[in-house]
Structures are given as structure tokens and as C-alpha cells.
């Protein structure tokens, strides 16, 4: 009925009222913004005010003159509304433009409100553009749209543009409180906050959801009934997940996730809601960003309390993990497992790294179920302690192998005390703790890494230089040699990928059975091939079933050098030299792959 009843658009309504008071009106206005924020409502109020015969000093309509009464009773002939979503043809626009020629009978202006103007066709826009360029003095156009980018620039340039903002949660809650008080409905403020968040910035959606909640709750709107009616995941779940993650209680989180899934909520719903919850915690840590929280005051206080317990590094890492989960959720074939793994990783963020003692890598997976592992260690401690009470042996000179074996199997008490953590004294009367595995020197095992490496190198050299002794002497031809050569190059390790690529482009040949010759075009490649010559010969001998193969690698002479051709180049050369092959390829539409 008036500009004061419009919620959350004080700047725009003030501008419109000032334009009415000053009498400086444009011939076309464009109201754009999200759905349900009051665009059409403001257009109707504005149309009523500019035709009011006795407007108030504050720019509001008097609601007493004939024009205002006709508007309130929906019988005004000065205001025309067109829904462009269903009347987007050129004929409807031409019929509307015909009405612009007739001056108003009561009031000063004829106001044409075109809702969802972006739905007009191109022909309709062109028909409307001519009138918009040179409108009569008594005509004002008010266009409303949710998608301004779809309107022709020539239309936009001839309008005053008003951008409507999304409704904030506090504004929606305040308006719903006023509606509830007028209707005699009792409510909980948290329930109205859930309705406002569900509306996503639209007052029309908020009022629709409010009516639905009133019907379900029978006049008493409570938080539990609202989340049950709207199928909204309770925010307590998010607070509990963060609290459990700070305490590294993975098992409790898994139980909570199972309960959420059993209620019918999707895993992506949980992850997206938890990501928004962590984002709100991040905003709640700084007083400057605290106003960005669009929640009720009670929820804001709760966010501040939990944010004080969370380190910024924890929130950043958790937010990144959940963002990755949201990105990979659609491609995942096991979506629940992806959600559970993400929450497990979030629960490990604040957990200290396990000690790298006892020969364990510090980068291994952190212990998740510490209580269970602690029980197992407590049960195994007496057995280990009993085994560790073997009398100590004092080494005189070089110990024998039997002594080393006994030492490695039964650690002495002195060794246990030496390997115990510093600052902790163990007493025989105390309950024995599980000892740390004593360090074992490699020299006690009878060989060192140096010996193993020397033996392995010596063995490799023997395998490289010694011919295979399988005793096979099968003959082979050029075709078999080339196939096995290509297969060998494809199987070469990644460290020899460069040499393998060059060898693949070379063609070995049989000079005299079973001698195979390979021509190399430069000295550098010759040196690289000679390093692995023995391995190449052994591979060929094994794949061709001939242990007598001899591989000769030499530098090619000038007259022996030929251009190295790829498979496709060889095929094209064969087609060029053999017209019949080229014709066959064309007729059968053959392609080399």
C-alpha cells in the first residue's frame, strides 16, 4: 500500500519518493533484481503515488482521492500491467502501444508495467523501442526483470535503472515477526531464522514458507517442527561434527554421518552445509567479518563460542578438504565413502603426528582409534616385559652370531632403559610399559648395504655379460626380430625412455644367423647403447628362443645412413611406390592407426 511497507529497499524507496516530491520523473524505469524482493510491488506503489491528486509531503499517496481509491479497488484505467512471460509476441506489444495514444481520464499519467520484460521476443523489443524512443508526455513505462543482461542495450540506455538487493536474514525475520504478531501466531526466533535462510533472500518465498509452516505447526511455530516440515538438516549436526573433529573422535563422527544419511539427507547436502558452517566460523573469528553472518543473534553467539576454540589453520584446511569433496562428488562412484574419507581427514587435522620411533615413518597415516590401540598395547605389555627380563650379556670382543641372535630376540633391561623416553624412569615395581624396539646394527646381521650393493652389482654384471643358458637354438627371421625389438623398446623402464625412443626408430638386421647387427648414427648414442648392450642381447635371446644370439652395435658409415621414417611415413612411401596399394587404400577407406 505504501513505500514504508517495502522491506529491505530503503535506498530505492527513498529515491522514488524524492522523485515524486520534486516532480522530476523519467519516462522509463527499469527495476531489476532477484525474485521476490519487491520489484513489481514498488512499481505498483510508484504508479499509484505519481497519479495521486494530494500526495503527502513525505512522498506517499493519500489513499483518499479518486485515483488512489480506484487503484486500491483495482479499477484504475491509468495503470496497465503486462506479463511478458506469457504475452511476449509482437502483436501484444503493438496492442499495448496503441493504448499510449489515449491520455488519462483521471490523474496525470498512464503507467505501463511490463513484468519479466526479458521474455519479450526480438520483434516485440523492436516494436516497443520506437515508442520508448519518443513516448508521449503522459506515459511512463516501468519494466521489471530478473535477468537484465537479456534486455537489448538500446532499451537499457533509455531507462533509469534501479537494482534491488537481496533480502538479508535479519530483515526477513523482522518482517515475519510483524506478520506473526498481526496474525496472532506464536513463534520461536530460531524457527523464523530457518525460514529466512531457506528463502535465500526472497521475501515472497519467505512468506510462502511461513504460511506452510503455520499450517504444519497449527499456529505455534517451533524450531523442531520447522526443520521437520522443511526437511532441513539441523545445524546442531554441524556444531557436533566440528566439536568431534577437534577431539579427533572419528568413530562418533561416523555414527553421526550414518544417522544423517538414514534420515534421507544426501551426502552432498551434508558437505555443502558443513562447508558453509566452517565459513561462518571463519567469519566469526574477526569482529570485522562478524556482520557477514546472516543468522539469528543466538546462532551468532554460538558461532563465536565455537570459533574461539578453532584455530584458523584448522578452518582453512577443513574448508579446502570439503571444497575438494564437493568438486569430486559427482564423479565419485562411491559417494558415501568420499564423504566419510573427507570427514576422517578433517578429524585428523588437529591430531599430533605419531612419533617416528620404532622404525616407523613419520608420514604414515595417523592413529585414528587411539583407545582401541591403547587397550591392545596394555594387554601385550606384560608379555613383552616378561620377555625382556633375560639376563644381560656383556660383550667382550667381537660377538658371535649366536650371541647376536640372542641379543636381537631378547632385548636387555639396559637397552630398554636406553631406548625409553627421556625424563621417565622405569622401576621394576611399576607396571611395565611396552618397550620400544631396540635398534639393530646392520653389522650384526653379517652383511651391510655396501656388501649387498656390491653383490647385486656383481650379479648384474654377470647377467649382463653371461649368455643365457637355456640351451634353445631356434631360428628366426627379420619379421620376428623386428616385432620383438619393438616390444622390447616398449617395455623399457622410465629411466631409459630417451634411449628407448631412439632404438624404436632403428631397425636391426640379421647379418649371419644368429648374429644381429645394429647401426647407430652418432657416438653419444653408441655409448648409451653399449651400456645396456648385454641386457638387450639377453632380452632378444629370451624372446626369440635362441641363446646363441650375438649383438653387434657399430657406428654407421656415411653411405649407410638412411633417413629415419615413422610408421606413417613408411606407409605413405609404400603407397607412392605402389599405385595398386594406394588404390586399395582409397577404395576400402583404410587408415593407419
Amino acid at each position: 500500500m505504501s513505500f514504508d511497507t517495502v522491506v529491505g529497499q530503503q535506498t530505492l524507496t527513498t529515491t522514488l519518493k524524492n522523485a515524486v516530491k520534486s516532480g522530476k520523473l523519467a519516462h522509463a524505469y527499469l527495476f531489476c533484481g532477484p525474485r521476490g524482493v519487491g520489484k513489481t510491488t514498488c512499481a505498483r506503489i510508484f504508479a499509484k503515488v505519481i497519479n495521486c491528486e494530494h500526495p503527502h509531503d513525505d512522498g506517499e499517496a493519500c489513499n483518499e482521492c479518486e485515483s488512489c481509491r480506484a487503484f486500491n479497488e483495482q479499477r484504475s484505467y491509468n495503470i496497465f500491467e503486462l506479463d511478458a512471460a506469457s504475452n511476449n509476441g509482437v502483436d501484444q506489444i503493438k496492442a499495448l502501444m496503441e493504448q499510449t495514444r489515449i491520455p488519462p481520464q483521471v490523474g496525470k499519467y498512464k503507467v505501463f508495467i511490463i513484468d519479466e520484460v526479458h521474455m519479450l521476443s526480438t520483434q516485440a523489443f523492436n516494436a516497443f523501442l520506437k515508442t520508448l524512443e519518443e513516448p508521449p508526455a503522459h506515459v511512463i513505462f516501468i519494466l521489471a526483470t530478473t535477468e537484465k543482461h537479456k534486455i537489448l542495450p538500446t532499451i537499457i540506455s533509455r531507462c533509469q535503472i534501479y537494482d534491488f538487493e537481496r533480502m538479508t536474514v535479519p530483515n526477513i525475520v523482522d518482517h515475519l515477526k510483524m506478520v506473526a504478531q498481526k496474525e496472532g501466531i506464536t513463534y520461536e526466533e530460531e524457527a523464523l531464522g530457518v525460514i529466512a535462510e531457506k528463502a535465500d533472500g526472497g521475501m515472497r518465498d519467505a512468506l510462502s514458507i511461513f504460511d506452510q509452516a503455520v499450517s504444519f505447526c497449527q499456529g505455534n511455530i517451533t524450531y523442531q517442527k520447522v526443520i521437520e516440515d522443511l526437511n532441513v538438516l539441523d545445524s546442531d549436526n554441524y556444531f557436533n561434527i566440528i566439536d568431534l573433529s577437534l577431539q579427533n573422535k572419528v568413530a562418533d563422527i561416523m555414527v553421526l554421518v550414518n544417522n544423517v544419511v538414514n534420515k534421507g539427507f544426501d551426502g552432498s547436502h551434508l558437505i555443502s552445509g558443513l562447508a558453509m558452517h566452517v565459513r561462518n566460523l571463519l567469519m566469526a573469528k574477526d569482529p570485522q567479518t562478524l556482520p557477514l553472518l546472516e543468522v539469528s543473534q543466538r546462532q551468532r553467539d554460538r558461532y563465536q563460542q565455537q570459533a574461539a576454540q578453532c584455530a584458523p589453520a584448522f578452518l582453512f584446511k577443513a574448508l579446502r578438504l570439503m571444497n575438494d569433496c564437493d568438486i569430486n562428488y559427482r564423479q565419485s562412484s562411491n559417494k558415501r565413502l568420499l564423504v566419510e574419507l573427507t570427514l576422517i581427514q578433517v578429524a585428523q587435522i588437529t591430531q599430533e603426528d605419531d612419533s617416528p620411533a620404532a622404525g616407523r615413518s613419520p608420514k604414515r597415516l595417523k592413529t585414528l582409534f587411539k583407545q582401541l590401540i591403547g587397550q591392545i598395547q596394555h594387554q601385550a605389555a606384560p608379555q613383552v616385559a616378561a620377555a625382556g627380563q633375560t639376563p644381560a650379556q656383556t660383550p667382550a670382543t667381537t660377538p658371535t652370531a649366536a650371541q647376536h641372535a640372542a641379543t636381537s630376540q631378547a632385548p636387555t633391561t639396559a637397552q630398554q632403559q636406553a631406548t625409553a623416553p627421556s625424563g621417565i624412569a622405569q622401576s621394576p615395581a611399576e607396571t611395565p610399559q611396552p618397550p620400544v624396539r631396540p635398534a639393530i646394527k646392520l653389522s650384526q646381521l653379517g652383511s651391510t648395504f655396501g656388501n649387498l650393493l656390491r653383490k647385486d652389482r656383481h650379479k648384474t654384471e654377470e647377467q649382463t655379460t653371461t649368455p643365457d643358458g637355456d640351451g634353445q637354438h631356434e631360428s628366426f627371421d627379420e619379421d620376428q626380430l623386428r616385432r620383438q625389438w619393438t616390444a622390447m623398446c616398449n617395455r623399457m623402464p622410465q629411466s631409459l625412455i630417451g634411449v628407448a625412443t631412439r632404438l624404436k626408430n632403428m631397425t636391426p638386421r640379421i647379418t649371419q644367423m644368429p648374429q644381429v647387427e645394429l647401426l647407430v648414427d652418432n657416438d653419444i648414442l653408441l655409448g648409451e647403447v653399449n651400456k645396456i648392450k648385454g641386457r638387450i642381447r639377453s632380452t632378444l635371446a629370451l624372446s626369440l628362443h635362441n641363446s646363441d644370439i650375438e649383438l653387434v652395435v657399430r657406428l654407421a658409415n656415411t653411405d649407410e645412413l638412411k633417413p629415419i621414417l615413422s610408421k606413417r611415413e613408411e606407409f605413405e612411401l609404400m603407397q607412392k611406390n605402389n599405385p595398386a596399394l594406394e588404390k586399395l587404400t582409397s577404395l576400402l577407406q583404410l587408415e593407419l592407426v
Side-chain angles (χ1 to χ4, degrees):
M1 297 296 294
S2 64
F3 284 120
D4 293 337
T5 59
V6 179
V7 181
Q9 310 295 341
Q10 285 78 11
T11 303
L12 297 181
T13 56
T14 302
T15 304
L16 293 175
K17 288 192 291 185
N18 292 337
V20 172
K21 290 189 293 183
S22 63
K24 297 179 180 179
L25 301 176
H27 69 279
Y29 295 87
L30 177 61
F31 294 170
C32 50
R35 55 186 173 81
V37 293
K39 298 185 296 297
T40 307
T41 300
C42 283
R44 291 170 180 168
I45 297 174
F46 187 54
K48 182 177 73 170
V49 172
I50 61 180
N51 278 318
C52 179
E53 298 177 2
H54 309 289
H56 294 166
D57 294 337
D58 58 354
E60 294 286 359
C62 66
N63 290 320
E64 296 177 357
C65 63
E66 175 61 24
S67 177
C68 292
R69 289 200 305 270
F71 178 84
N72 294 336
E73 296 172 4
Q74 298 182 359
R75 56 181 177 83
S76 175
Y77 290 100
N78 293 341
I79 300 174
F80 297 86
E81 289 192 32
L82 177 69
D83 183 14
S86 56
N87 301 281
N88 55 4
V90 65
D91 295 334
Q92 288 85 355
I93 293 297
K94 286 183 178 180
L96 189 66
M97 295 302 103
E98 290 293 332
Q99 300 291 331
T100 61
R101 300 179 181 181
I102 305 173
Q105 303 301 317
V106 178
K108 302 177 182 179
Y109 301 97
K110 268 195 171 183
V111 183
F112 295 85
I113 302 174
I114 304 178
D115 200 7
E116 302 296 337
V117 68
H118 66 275
M119 298 293 289
L120 290 177
S121 62
T122 304
Q123 293 79 7
F125 269 126
N126 294 331
F128 175 58
L129 182 60
K130 182 61 178 177
T131 306
L132 189 63
E133 289 175 348
E134 300 175 357
H138 59 269
V139 172
I140 292 179
F141 293 102
I142 303 178
L143 314 179
T145 180
T146 57
E147 301 182 35
K148 182 175 65 174
H149 61 279
K150 292 185 178 181
I151 302 176
L152 294 179
T154 52
I155 301 290
I156 295 178
S157 64
R158 289 170 171 81
C159 301
Q160 281 192 8
I161 303 174
Y162 289 81
D163 291 313
F164 284 68
E165 300 176 354
R166 291 176 65 254
M167 299 289 180
T168 62
V169 172
N171 286 339
I172 296 177
V173 171
D174 292 340
H175 187 69
L176 293 180
K177 286 181 180 178
M178 182 190 68
V179 174
Q181 291 173 0
K182 289 184 177 180
E183 298 293 333
I185 299 171
T186 59
Y187 60 87
E188 293 181 1
E189 187 173 351
E190 290 186 3
L192 299 183
V194 173
I195 295 175
E197 293 176 9
K198 188 75 172 179
D200 193 23
M203 182 59 72
R204 182 172 63 240
D205 293 345
L207 292 173
S208 300
I209 298 173
F210 180 79
D211 290 340
Q212 177 184 346
V214 169
S215 300
F216 180 78
C217 301
Q218 296 181 353
N220 182 19
I221 302 178
T222 61
Y223 177 76
Q224 292 297 333
K225 289 183 178 180
V226 167
I227 63 174
E228 181 183 353
D229 180 35
L230 302 181
N231 196 27
V232 176
L233 190 58
D234 191 357
S235 60
D236 290 341
N237 293 299
Y238 303 136
F239 283 101
N240 292 336
I241 289 177
I242 296 301
D243 289 337
L244 294 174
S245 298
L246 294 175
Q247 302 173 16
N248 311 125
K249 295 182 178 180
V250 178
D252 295 339
I253 294 178
M254 293 297 102
V255 174
L256 191 149
V257 171
N258 184 67
N259 294 335
V260 170
V261 173
N262 289 339
K263 291 180 181 178
F265 292 100
D266 190 47
S268 62
H269 191 163
L270 175 63
I271 289 296
S272 60
L274 186 60
M276 181 57 66
H277 178 81
V278 175
R279 177 259 181 194
N280 291 342
L281 289 176
L282 201 58
M283 297 299 103
K285 290 192 71 67
D286 195 334
Q288 295 181 354
T289 57
L290 188 60
L292 298 179
L293 297 182
E294 295 185 350
V295 294
S296 62
Q297 185 61 39
R298 182 178 178 277
Q299 287 287 87
R300 182 173 298 181
D301 297 339
R302 193 174 179 185
Y303 273 115
Q304 285 184 296
Q305 293 176 2
Q306 191 173 64
Q309 304 173 3
C310 302
F314 167 77
L315 297 177
F316 282 128
K317 292 180 181 178
L319 205 57
R320 185 173 64 250
L321 288 172
M322 284 178 287
N323 183 58
D324 294 340
C325 178
D326 187 42
I327 294 174
N328 300 324
Y329 188 82
R330 290 188 177 181
Q331 291 80 14
S332 176
S333 58
N334 193 340
K335 293 178 171 52
R336 176 167 179 172
L337 179 61
L338 177 63
V339 172
E340 291 177 344
L341 285 176
T342 301
L343 295 179
I344 289 175
Q345 290 175 324
V346 171
Q348 292 186 81
I349 295 176
T350 59
Q351 184 173 340
E352 297 180 358
D353 293 336
D354 296 335
S355 175
R360 302 296 296 274
S361 171
K363 294 184 179 181
R364 67 188 178 92
L365 186 65
K366 298 176 182 178
T367 306
L368 298 180
F369 305 95
K370 286 185 173 182
Q371 184 177 3
L372 178 61
I373 294 181
Q375 293 176 357
I376 298 176
Q377 291 179 348
H378 183 71
Q379 295 175 0
Q383 302 177 3
V384 177
Q389 295 178 356
T390 305
Q393 297 180 358
T394 303
T397 57
T398 304
T400 62
Q403 291 174 343
H404 286 310
T407 305
S408 61
Q409 293 177 1
T412 61
T413 305
Q415 289 174 339
Q416 293 178 3
Q417 294 176 356
T419 57
S422 58
I424 301 177
Q426 292 185 349
S427 173
E430 296 178 355
T431 303
Q433 300 293 330
V436 181
R437 184 185 302 170
I440 301 176
K441 297 182 178 180
L442 291 176
S443 59
Q444 299 174 352
L445 299 177
S447 63
T448 63
F449 279 121
N451 296 334
L452 295 175
L453 289 174
R454 283 193 293 271
K455 290 181 181 180
D456 185 64
R457 188 182 301 112
H458 180 66
K459 182 178 179 181
T460 304
E461 292 175 355
E462 290 181 352
Q463 292 179 352
T464 304
T465 56
T466 304
D468 294 345
D470 54 3
Q472 296 183 351
H473 309 283
E474 296 183 8
S475 59
F476 53 89
D477 54 15
E478 295 281 354
D479 187 40
Q480 293 176 340
L481 175 61
R482 292 181 182 180
R483 285 202 305 269
Q484 297 301 332
W485 181 268
T486 303
M488 177 194 68
C489 294
N490 292 333
R491 294 195 305 267
M492 282 191 175
Q494 189 69 23
S495 58
L496 300 176
I497 187 65
V499 180
T501 304
R502 299 295 302 275
L503 291 178
K504 194 182 298 185
N505 293 328
M506 299 179 184
T507 304
R509 62 179 181 177
I510 302 174
T511 55
Q512 185 178 358
M513 183 65 66
Q515 188 178 32
V516 177
E517 185 180 49
L518 179 66
L519 300 181
V520 183
D521 57 357
N522 60 77
D523 293 330
I524 298 177
L525 183 59
L526 179 63
E528 295 293 333
V529 174
N530 282 330
K531 292 180 181 179
I532 58 174
K533 175 182 176 181
R535 297 167 62 181
I536 295 175
R537 196 217 67 82
S538 300
T539 303
L540 293 177
L542 183 63
S543 57
L544 294 174
H545 307 289
N546 193 320
S547 58
D548 299 330
I549 288 180
E550 296 181 8
L551 180 61
V552 178
V553 183
R554 66 179 180 84
L555 191 64
N557 299 326
T558 306
D559 56 344
E560 294 176 332
L561 290 176
K562 296 181 180 179
I564 300 176
L565 302 178
S566 63
K567 299 297 183 183
R568 183 171 294 278
E569 291 174 342
E570 290 182 1
F571 182 70
E572 292 175 354
L573 183 61
M574 291 172 60
Q575 284 183 316
K576 183 178 180 181
N577 297 332
N578 192 345
L581 178 61
E582 184 177 4
K583 183 178 181 181
L584 179 65
T585 304
S586 177
L587 291 175
L588 298 180
Q589 298 180 353
L590 300 178
E591 292 183 2
L592 181 65
V593 295

